[in-house]
Amino acid sequence: TYLILGCVMDSLAMILLTIPIFYPMIMGLDFFGLDESSKSIWFGILALMVVEIGLITPPLGMNLFIVQRAAADVPFMETARGVLPFLASDLLRIILLALFPGICLWLLTL
């Protein structure tokens, strides 16, 4: 549980350090004509996804070290290579949400 709590604290630290800087900048820009509340929700979803990608990105992704500890007989490079397809899909998801913010906001319209 200590390692899992460490991951939560690390992502929380990333969010607490970056959101006060980037949130006002995003709110000042006009993204696809979104209103203030939709832009806040969109940016929150995007920020959380980017933070979680940071936790699995080699070589210093904290979640990689947790997986490495659980599977001690697997070399670290193999673990890092195993993450690459997931990183590719995550990057595609980030690009889609950045270009089409309505994807993550369509539940609000129901």
Side-chain angles (χ1 to χ4, degrees):
T1 58
Y2 173 73
L3 290 174
I4 293 172
L5 184 61
C7 279
V8 171
M9 292 304 290
D10 187 47
S11 62
L12 180 63
M14 284 191 272
I15 290 170
L16 288 176
L17 288 173
T18 57
I19 294 298
I21 296 168
F22 290 110
Y23 183 75
M25 292 181 352
I26 296 295
M27 288 289 109
L29 298 173
D30 182 30
F31 281 107
F32 307 104
L34 294 174
D35 61 341
E36 293 282 325
S37 63
S38 296
K39 200 181 326 180
S40 295
I41 293 170
W42 171 76
F43 178 66
I45 291 170
L46 205 62
L48 283 175
M49 288 173 38
V50 169
V51 165
E52 293 304 318
I53 289 172
L55 287 174
I56 65 167
T57 304
L60 295 176
M62 184 177 285
N63 289 350
L64 285 179
F65 294 119
I66 293 170
V67 169
Q68 184 62 37
R69 169 86 48 133
D73 58 334
V74 178
F76 183 75
M77 289 304 293
E78 188 174 338
T79 305
R81 276 193 299 269
V83 170
L84 293 178
F86 296 102
L87 280 176
S89 68
D90 284 341
L91 289 176
L92 179 65
R93 185 177 53 174
I94 292 290
I95 290 169
L96 283 174
L97 287 180
L99 293 177
F100 306 107
I103 294 172
C104 62
L105 298 172
W106 71 273
L107 280 176
L108 297 175
T109 62
L110 296 179

